[in-house]
């Protein structure tokens, strides 16, 4: 019997007070610490949705929009936006809140691709996704577009001839120089 689940059933919220031990050398919360929290919530969200142990397959675009300060409350919200056969794209939004003033900042958004596994480490089929509103439809199609763009990018990478005269000439448009050693080997 095929199983189904809703986006709503996948939703998770995680809040954590940022401590001095989470900071980097500039006194802001370390980006790596935030990534760790994002990976944790992606795991929880995908596992809750699928009913399986899940692993991170990829992380798409983590843009740090605003720094997080020591003493702020970080709120992470996650939901399954897209499902394939054995994978899910989990959308994550990170905000911080200054506890005394209540001022909130959007810190970043990201998309984690998670894969469901059985007890032997084999991929397992995930439930079909029930879309209940137009925002969920939009997020699902954003996932489809994200996957298609990754495929197109990979094709460009594979087919691009970086050794061609045109590619080497085009390097003049960038902040690089070609070494004499490289020129002599061309």
């Amino acid at each position: 019997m095929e199983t189904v689940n809703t986006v709503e059933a996948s939703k998770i919220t995680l809040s954590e007070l940022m401590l001095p031990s989470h900071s980097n050398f500039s006194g802001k919360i370390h980006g790596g610490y935030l990534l760790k929290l994002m990976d944790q919530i992606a795991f929880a969200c995908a596992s809750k949705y699928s009913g399986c142990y899940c692993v991170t397959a990829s992380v798409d675009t983590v843009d740090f929009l605003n720094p997080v300060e020591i003493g702020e409350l970080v709120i992470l919200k996650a939901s399954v936006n897209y499902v394939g056969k054995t994978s899910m794209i989990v959308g994550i939004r990170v905000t911080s809140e200054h506890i005394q003033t209540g001022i909130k900042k959007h810190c970043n958004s990201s998309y984690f691709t998670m894969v469901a596994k059985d007890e032997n480490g084999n991929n397992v089929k995930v439930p079909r996704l029930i879309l209940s509103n137009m925002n969920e439809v939009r997020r699902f199609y954003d996932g489809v577009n994200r996957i298609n763009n990754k495929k197109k990018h990979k094709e460009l990478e594979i087919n691009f001839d970086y050794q061609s005269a045109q590619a080497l000439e085009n390097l003049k448009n960038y902040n690089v120089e070609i070494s004499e050693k490289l020129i002599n080997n061309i």
Side-chain angles (χ1 to χ4, degrees):
M1 179 166 87
E2 188 169 50
T3 59
V4 297
N5 212 342
T6 62
V7 172
E8 191 64 34
S10 75
K11 289 186 176 180
I12 299 233
T13 301
L14 174 71
S15 301
E16 186 171 333
L17 183 65
M18 294 295 102
L19 304 174
S21 61
H22 303 138
S23 67
N24 59 24
F25 293 111
S26 69
K28 309 295 182 197
I29 299 307
H30 195 287
Y33 187 74
L34 293 174
L35 283 169
K36 175 185 165 193
L37 294 176
M38 293 168 72
D39 192 51
Q40 287 175 355
I41 198 169
F43 166 81
C45 178
S47 295
K48 181 181 177 190
Y49 175 82
S50 67
C52 300
Y53 177 78
C54 294
V55 297
T56 305
S58 71
V59 179
D60 292 342
T61 312
V62 180
D63 293 323
F64 293 97
L65 306 172
N66 288 294
V68 178
E69 306 291 336
I70 295 170
E72 289 184 328
L73 185 65
V74 167
I75 302 108
L76 298 94
K77 293 185 177 188
S79 65
V80 169
N81 292 353
Y82 168 92
V83 297
K85 290 185 177 100
T86 63
S87 65
M88 299 149 279
I89 295 177
V90 175
I92 302 169
R93 181 178 174 93
V94 181
T95 57
S96 66
E97 181 179 350
H98 189 282
I99 293 177
Q100 285 92 11
T101 65
I103 294 173
K104 295 180 182 178
K105 299 180 290 189
H106 178 205
C107 299
N108 67 46
S109 295
S110 188
Y111 303 92
F112 279 55
T113 300
M114 307 298 290
V115 177
K117 300 285 188 176
D118 66 15
E119 57 278 347
N120 297 317
N122 299 311
N123 293 357
V124 295
K125 190 171 179 169
V126 298
R128 292 177 53 134
L129 183 63
I130 298 171
L131 302 175
S132 302
N133 59 56
M134 292 311 288
N135 195 37
E136 292 174 0
V137 170
R138 178 187 60 79
R139 287 180 174 166
F140 184 86
Y141 273 118
D142 285 349
V144 170
N145 291 335
R146 193 169 283 104
I147 290 166
N148 289 336
N149 288 336
K150 279 174 107 173
K151 287 178 184 174
K152 287 178 189 173
H153 180 75
K154 196 65 173 168
E155 285 176 27
L156 285 173
E157 254 181 22
I158 291 168
N159 295 325
F160 181 71
D161 182 6
Y162 63 90
Q163 295 182 2
S164 71
Q166 182 181 2
L168 293 171
E169 179 66 25
N170 190 46
L171 288 173
K172 292 178 181 176
N173 297 318
Y174 298 95
N175 190 25
V176 298
E177 288 185 27
I178 299 176
S179 73
E180 288 295 322
K181 181 180 175 184
L182 178 60
I183 291 170
N184 295 333
N185 289 329
I186 296 176

